[in-house]
Amino acid sequence: MKKKDFLTIRDWTPDEIMAVVQQALTLKQSGRDLARRPLEGYTLGLMFDKASTRTRVSFEVAMLRAGGGTIFLSRHDTQLSRNEALKDTAQVLSRYLDVLAIRTYSQEWVEEVARWADIPVINALTDLYHPCQILSDLMTVKEKKGSVRNLKIGWVGDGNNVAHSWIHAARKLGFELVLACPPGYAPKPEVLGEGAPNIRLTTDPAEAVRGADVLNTDVWTSMGQDAEREKRLQDFSRFQVNEALVALARPDVIVMHCLPAHREEEIASGVLDGPRSVVLDQAENKMYLHQALLETLLLA
Ligand code: CP
Ligand code: NVA
């Protein structure tokens, strides 16, 4: 059987996306079952060359809970840092591991590893996409709102990797997505494609937030952009998610942030810690979602 990768939301069908979301919700609702070890004997490799707290730990715990094991590899400690060919690395790792999750800069690099590897490859964040984040965020939306359909989801901030994966999800699932980004920070045209009636761009944060069921933001300076930080702080100053902005949304809005957050920059502490925030549930849900994803890729 041909192996299946998870490199972007775009590559999966709506049914595949919602099946893994539902499986994650079922895992959460079922509670811990120490006798259930569907991935016993399986090994996950995590190859990261960007920092991570949530993604790394939730993948490792997910694998442990499913009965499997994990090997963490900092890319700089492998022979890749001494120019071993990517093809050779991918083929060798395929002989040891059952699945490989990668966090790095270049989306093309992850896609090339996936081409050479004989095992499923998971994109655990690139400069362009963060598809695992959006699967676990869809899980959180479904958990809190009952469904991901017929919702208005507002994005306020950078048109970045997380925003790009939200755009893919909106295309697949049809919910309304309004992204408010400062001029010059809109999502990439190649991700937006020809556009879609349910996806709108604006430079006015209020337009994205007014009447929203879900309000989403992320850091103004992503990993790899640190040299631009001072300029970005200025360019994004009108785009903070604070109490005044949240007041424009529906009263039952949920406020999401993939974390890590920069308090008092893209989000006010009062909102991050406030009653509408679901950020800790989002972080927790990554563990169930990653377990469901691993089980899907390895056993389905
Ligand atoms: N949201 C997320 O991916 O967090 P980490 O960078 O801590 O993995
Ligand atoms: N946009 C952020 C997400 C971190 C999880 C980054 O790429 O740094």
Side-chain angles (χ1 to χ4, degrees), residues 50-52 54-55 103 124-130 133 155 158 160-163 218-225 257-260 286:
K50 280 182 171 180
S52 173
R54 281 145 287 269
T55 306
R103 169 170 286 203
L125 181 145
T126 63
D127 289 346
L128 202 54
Y129 300 121
H130 195 359
Q133 183 66 47
W155 175 273
D158 194 13
N160 65 12
N161 45 5
V162 178
D218 187 14
V219 289
W220 293 338
T221 305
S222 286
M223 290 181 277
Q225 299 172 332
H257 190 312
C258 64
L259 304 180
K286 292 170 83 68

Side-chain angles (χ1 to χ4, degrees), residues 39-271:
L39 298 184
E40 185 151 18
Y42 288 86
T43 307
L44 162 70
L46 292 176
M47 188 188 283
F48 281 27
D49 59 1
K50 280 182 171 180
S52 173
T53 299
R54 281 145 287 269
T55 306
R56 175 179 175 177
V57 176
S58 60
F59 261 116
E60 292 204 24
V61 174
M63 203 58 187
L64 195 68
R65 286 184 175 215
T70 303
I71 293 176
F72 183 81
L73 292 160
S74 163
R75 185 168 141 183
H76 303 290
D77 295 334
T78 70
Q79 297 288 8
L80 283 166
S81 65
R82 298 178 56 251
N83 296 328
E84 182 169 9
L86 190 157
K87 170 186 172 183
D88 298 341
T89 303
Q91 289 182 327
V92 167
L93 289 179
S94 299
R95 301 286 176 109
Y96 300 132
L97 302 169
D98 299 291
V99 54
L100 177 63
I102 300 176
R103 169 170 286 203
T104 190
Y105 297 86
S106 158
Q107 177 73 18
E108 292 72 30
W109 195 85
V110 176
E111 291 183 3
E112 204 183 335
V113 174
R115 271 197 294 282
W116 291 115
D118 301 316
I119 55 174
V121 173
I122 297 170
N123 178 357
L125 181 145
T126 63
D127 289 346
L128 202 54
Y129 300 121
H130 195 359
C132 291
Q133 183 66 47
I134 274 47
L135 286 187
S136 55
D137 288 353
L138 290 170
M139 174 190 173
T140 305
V141 171
K142 191 164 187 323
E143 181 182 45
K144 304 290 178 189
K145 298 285 175 190
S147 163
V148 300
R149 295 187 188 278
N150 303 320
L151 296 177
K152 175 176 175 178
I153 299 190
W155 175 273
V156 176
D158 194 13
N160 65 12
N161 45 5
V162 178
H164 287 162
S165 288
W166 270 112
I167 290 167
H168 282 169
R171 274 184 181 281
K172 292 283 172 177
L173 301 173
F175 53 79
E176 183 184 359
L177 178 66
V178 184
L179 302 112
C181 310
Y185 296 95
K188 286 189 185 301
E190 67 260 34
V191 178
L192 286 165
E194 291 162 8
N198 60 320
I199 302 174
R200 278 191 294 123
L201 290 187
T202 172
T203 53
D204 177 7
E207 204 180 319
V209 178
R210 207 168 284 121
D213 302 279
V214 177
L215 172 53
N216 225 317
T217 189
D218 187 14
V219 289
W220 293 338
T221 305
S222 286
M223 290 181 277
Q225 299 172 332
D226 295 305
E228 302 169 25
R229 183 173 151 74
E230 289 311 314
K231 175 164 171 36
R232 283 173 171 265
L233 280 175
Q234 285 174 17
D235 293 346
F236 283 85
S237 59
R238 281 192 311 115
F239 286 74
Q240 185 188 70
V241 174
N242 52 32
E243 284 86 347
L245 196 63
V246 174
L248 301 177
R250 285 174 53 99
D252 61 352
V253 67
I254 55 171
V255 177
M256 303 181 79
H257 190 312
C258 64
L259 304 180
H262 287 147
R263 288 169 178 266
E264 317 310 342
E265 290 183 19
E266 77 276 2
I267 190 161
S269 278
V271 173

